[in-house]
Amino acid sequence: MLKLENICYSVDEDDSGKEIIKGLNLSLGSGKFLAVTGPNGGGKSTTAKLIMGIEKPTSGKIIFENQDITDMSITDRARLGIGFAFQQPVRFKGIRIIDLLRIAAGKELSVSDACVYLSEVGLCAKDYINREVNSSLSGGEIKRIEIAGIAAKNSKLSVFDEPEAGIDIWSFNNLIKVFEHMHEDKSKSIVVISHQERILNIADEIAVIANGEIVSYGTRDEILPQIKGTPSVANICRGNTFRKRGQNL
């Protein structure tokens, strides 16, 4: 479904190129759930933005369903079936939640259809359907509404950048259930950028990115024992204790 082939990404900093992503290779099959973890500043969120087209690689290729999308715009990627959830979702004053869901779906959703998507993320539809997507919504509420929008879009590939950021424990518990439900559809794939063990624990595969490179990649059963029980995945990454696949610690 998705392949990142020798992806590099640099930014100009004081007239000198700073390499953020260094020759990254990653492959994700249809119906798979990939969790991407690692230290802050290691390149995780940048990788997610490269997949969506928010950032463009300096070199390398991004292949989606056997099509080179490296130079495609965000809009064109969305039309192909890639959805993206920001770490801090955008708020739209004056736009109702039902309007947002209709925009995401690309069609005139009925109220009952929109209510189904809201119910799936644990929101009482009658209390939310006509509310504005503005600052009156909590972090957990806006996060779940964004996920409902991705569900309405029916994305083939859904990318989530640290979805746990800024939400309470109840919302996080509900978020886990949403991911589990999404993963039941084996025709669709999920990429989640996260430090949270509970999210890593429901993934099929885990990739650890540090210093712009994949330092460890494998199945959940291969990678999770290296980080399970650790207070912070980021702390262990800083210690460079991860192995590359096929290597011993």
Side-chain angles (χ1 to χ4, degrees):
M1 163 160 308
L2 178 70
K3 288 184 180 180
L4 276 62
E5 299 180 350
N6 199 30
I7 293 294
C8 296
Y9 175 70
S10 300
V11 295
D12 288 330
E13 191 173 89
D14 298 326
D15 296 324
S16 61
K18 181 180 179 181
E19 200 170 23
I20 307 298
I21 302 295
K22 308 168 185 176
L24 190 146
N25 290 282
L26 187 63
S27 180
L28 178 67
S30 181
K32 293 294 184 180
F33 185 148
L34 171 67
V36 180
T37 192
N40 292 332
K44 304 183 306 298
S45 291
T46 299
T47 300
K49 291 174 182 177
L50 288 166
I51 292 171
M52 190 66 234
I54 298 168
E55 304 288 358
K56 296 295 178 68
T58 307
S59 62
K61 288 185 178 181
I62 301 174
I63 309 296
F64 180 67
E65 294 195 320
N66 299 315
Q67 183 174 355
D68 188 341
I69 65 169
T70 311
D71 296 321
M72 280 191 180
S73 67
I74 297 172
T75 301
D76 288 338
R77 295 184 199 210
R79 287 171 179 159
L80 286 179
I82 302 176
F84 188 89
F86 290 90
Q87 187 176 138
Q88 297 295 332
V90 180
R91 299 171 189 266
F92 302 94
K93 186 177 180 180
I95 295 180
R96 297 176 303 162
I97 290 170
I98 188 169
D99 298 325
L100 189 66
L101 293 177
R102 284 169 175 166
I103 291 169
K107 60 183 180 181
E108 187 65 23
L109 282 180
S110 67
V111 171
S112 60
D113 287 338
C115 288
V116 170
Y117 294 120
L118 290 174
S119 297
E120 285 180 353
V121 296
L123 296 176
C124 180
K126 67 181 180 66
D127 294 335
Y128 287 89
I129 197 75
N130 287 311
R131 284 185 65 178
E132 285 190 16
V133 188
N134 57 25
S135 59
S136 69
L137 297 168
S138 70
E141 288 171 326
I142 193 70
K143 188 83 70 171
R144 282 185 277 164
I145 289 164
E146 184 179 45
I147 293 172
I150 289 178
K153 186 180 179 301
N154 199 27
S155 301
K156 297 176 184 177
L157 172 64
S158 300
V159 182
F160 299 87
D161 186 9
E162 296 195 29
E164 69 272 15
I167 63 174
D168 54 44
I169 292 176
W170 189 91
S171 295
F172 179 68
N173 290 336
N174 193 273
L175 184 66
I176 295 294
K177 294 177 183 178
V178 170
F179 286 146
E180 289 174 332
H181 177 69
M182 290 179 67
H183 192 34
E184 291 172 1
D185 188 341
K186 297 305 179 182
S187 67
K188 299 179 175 64
S189 299
I190 305 169
V191 175
V192 179
I193 311 299
S194 180
H195 289 140
Q196 289 292 330
E197 184 180 313
R198 284 186 63 191
I199 291 179
L200 304 184
N201 201 46
I202 61 175
D204 299 312
E205 300 168 347
I206 299 173
V208 182
I209 296 180
N211 299 317
E213 301 176 284
I214 293 181
V215 296
S216 189
Y217 171 79
T219 66
R220 176 185 64 239
D221 293 339
E222 288 175 322
I223 306 302
L224 194 57
Q226 300 173 45
I227 54 181
K228 196 169 184 179
T230 303
S232 169
V233 171
N235 287 339
I236 228 177
C237 288
R238 291 189 191 100
N240 198 27
T241 56
F242 286 103
R243 65 174 173 83
K244 291 186 178 180
R245 193 170 190 178
Q247 294 180 338
N248 294 322
L249 285 172

